[in-house]
Amino acid sequence: MGVGVLSRYGPLLPITGDTPRVTLGEGDTPLIASRHLADEVGCQEVYLKLEGCNPTGSFKDRGMVVAVAKAMEAESTTIICASTGNTSASAAAYGAHCDLTTIVLVPKGAIATGKLAQAIAYGAQILSVNGNFDRALELVRELSDKYPITLVNSLNPHRIQGQKTAAFEIVDSLGDAPDYLAIPVGNAGNISAYWMGFREYHEAGLAKKRPMMMGFQAEGAAPIVRGAPVENPETIASAIRIGNPASWSQALTAQDASGGLIDAVSDDEILAAQRYLARREGVFCEAASAASVAGLLKMSREGHSLAGKTAVCVITGTGLKEPELAPSQTDIPTQDVEAELDAVERVLALADVSATPKQR
Ligand code: AN7
């Protein structure tokens, strides 16, 4: 198999001989077994799908490569999106790679520093909208209707097509679908994409079962759980600060058809899960991504039958994107020290430890 989503899963994607086979090396991300989480929740096994390992640090690259390749095939020269940050980073990267003009509309002051840095670095035209993500999405929908500009939000069906490949990879590495798939939900494109992928593999006989789809929104931005749009969504997890998801109905279909559940987790639960992942598993993800693990922990607390079950938590993006969240969580500050051995030994309290060199 070649590199990238288009070459690995081409026959299962809506591409033709005329679709350029572009790639930045997206997809083929690690699925790792947790070291402690499975015991913590009482599962037989919990796997973490590390989507932060994609080229721009989030799952968005899987769908963006398909959307951008199809835009090129259609001879479009400009792409546009609204974003809580990751979609804009991904669009900007693939736009740069493919010589397209990229326009991104982001909610002013509300996206993570690293994501903004990416859009700037890749040379996108960045509009900081005086409004939230939902308003920015309305604006780009209108613009793409009015002008010959390709919308690359997940309303673009090619995005969902590309993102479904993550479900293929999970089945390809486990040999079957897991019992549960836990995933953060914002605009609800990704849960819809995973469900499409699991369904297609099942129908093709490549998986014996389909997972129960467990989606998790942040409490202050949980329109699907509440059953009504949230006008002013609020959560520390800025990536999923979305009040009126575009793929709402598809997410409900995924929930209902799989026997799953879309539920809410609090910011405190999200931050606790983010910290757990970093400290116990060695996986530093962004806050929004930790909603999947916060959700699995909540399921365990609420007595879901997890014994003997396999769960996959989708870790949607890397923690390096939002360094501004780190200090508020750190109760161990850095320690300043003179650049001298005895000073370092003093700070580390090594005088109490045997000075005999360790046997290697
Ligand atoms: C890390 O970038 O909506 O439910 O504009 O960045 O498919 O929206 C990001 C969403 C989860 C939610 N985790 O996925 C955007 C944007 C991370 C994210 C989600 C997002 P969807």
Side-chain angles (χ1 to χ4, degrees):
M1 276 199 245
V3 170
V5 159
L6 296 179
S7 91
R8 284 167 54 83
Y9 291 107
L12 302 171
L13 295 169
I15 57 175
T16 70
D18 294 331
T19 314
R21 299 300 197 267
V22 292
T23 185
L24 282 171
E26 65 291 326
D28 199 13
T29 57
L31 183 71
I32 62 158
S34 72
R35 293 262 298 156
H36 305 287
L37 188 57
D39 285 343
E40 187 84 30
V41 299
C43 272
Q44 183 182 322
E45 199 67 89
V46 175
Y47 296 94
L48 306 172
K49 181 67 170 161
L50 303 184
E51 289 292 281
C53 295
N54 276 296
T56 75
S58 88
F59 70 97
K60 303 286 181 179
D61 297 336
R62 294 178 182 277
M64 197 58 68
V65 72
V66 182
V68 165
K70 294 301 282 186
M72 290 170 76
E73 184 180 350
E75 297 184 352
S76 174
T77 59
T78 306
I79 58 174
I80 194 167
C81 67
S83 181
T84 58
N86 277 326
T87 301
S88 56
S90 186
Y94 285 83
H97 187 67
C98 299
D99 303 318
L100 302 173
T101 300
T102 306
I103 306 169
V104 304
L105 273 67
V106 298
K108 189 173 181 174
I111 78 167
T113 320
K115 301 175 188 178
L116 188 59
Q118 288 178 287
I120 294 168
Y122 295 127
Q125 186 173 357
I126 306 163
L127 303 189
S128 204
V129 178
N130 198 3
N132 62 24
F133 167 82
D134 300 288
R135 181 66 192 128
L137 184 60
E138 288 170 4
L139 290 168
V140 296
R141 288 176 84 151
E142 287 178 51
L143 286 166
S144 63
D145 280 344
K146 204 164 166 186
Y147 300 96
I149 302 176
T150 304
L151 182 69
V152 295
N153 279 103
S154 56
L155 288 158
N156 179 328
H158 302 308
R159 280 276 314 280
I160 304 292
Q161 287 286 334
Q163 284 173 211
K164 76 183 178 185
T165 59
F168 296 165
E169 289 176 13
I170 289 170
V171 176
D172 286 343
S173 55
L174 296 182
D176 200 354
D179 297 301
Y180 292 101
L181 190 283
I183 185 169
V185 174
N187 216 19
N190 212 27
I191 189 171
S192 310
Y194 271 82
W195 181 236
M196 180 186 282
F198 285 123
R199 231 175 356 96
E200 288 184 7
Y201 251 37
H202 184 250
E203 279 160 22
L206 294 165
K208 289 188 280 299
K209 61 185 183 210
R210 310 183 305 189
M212 282 183 259
M213 302 294 289
M214 311 301 294
F216 298 100
Q217 302 196 290
E219 248 166 32
I224 299 176
V225 179
R226 293 178 195 290
V230 175
E231 203 171 321
N232 295 308
E234 262 316 323
T235 167
I236 193 155
S238 62
I240 53 173
R241 194 181 288 147
I242 295 176
N244 190 11
S247 299
W248 191 319
S249 68
Q250 294 92 320
L252 285 178
T253 300
Q255 169 192 265
D256 297 342
S258 73
L261 180 68
I262 297 178
D263 198 1
V265 286
S266 70
D267 279 5
D268 283 348
E269 288 169 333
I270 287 172
L271 290 175
Q274 183 188 31
R275 186 186 168 98
Y276 183 95
L277 278 170
R279 299 269 176 109
R280 303 299 310 282
E281 301 288 351
V283 171
F284 181 31
C285 68
E286 57 177 293
S289 308
S292 59
V293 171
L296 187 66
L297 288 162
K298 183 176 179 184
M299 285 170 63
S300 169
R301 276 200 313 277
E302 292 186 345
H304 278 257
S305 64
L306 298 177
K309 297 290 201 309
T310 301
V312 171
C313 293
V314 183
I315 307 300
T316 47
T318 169
L320 292 173
K321 285 174 176 270
E322 46 186 13
E324 58 271 27
L325 279 193
S328 65
Q329 290 188 64
T330 305
D331 49 18
I332 302 172
T334 59
Q335 293 169 288
D336 289 345
V337 64
E338 291 307 318
E340 300 295 340
L341 184 61
D342 63 346
V344 174
E345 285 172 328
R346 234 181 357 260
V347 170
L348 294 177
L350 289 180
D352 308 336
V353 180
S354 160
T356 318
K358 259 193 185 159
Q359 295 292 321
R360 285 188 186 272

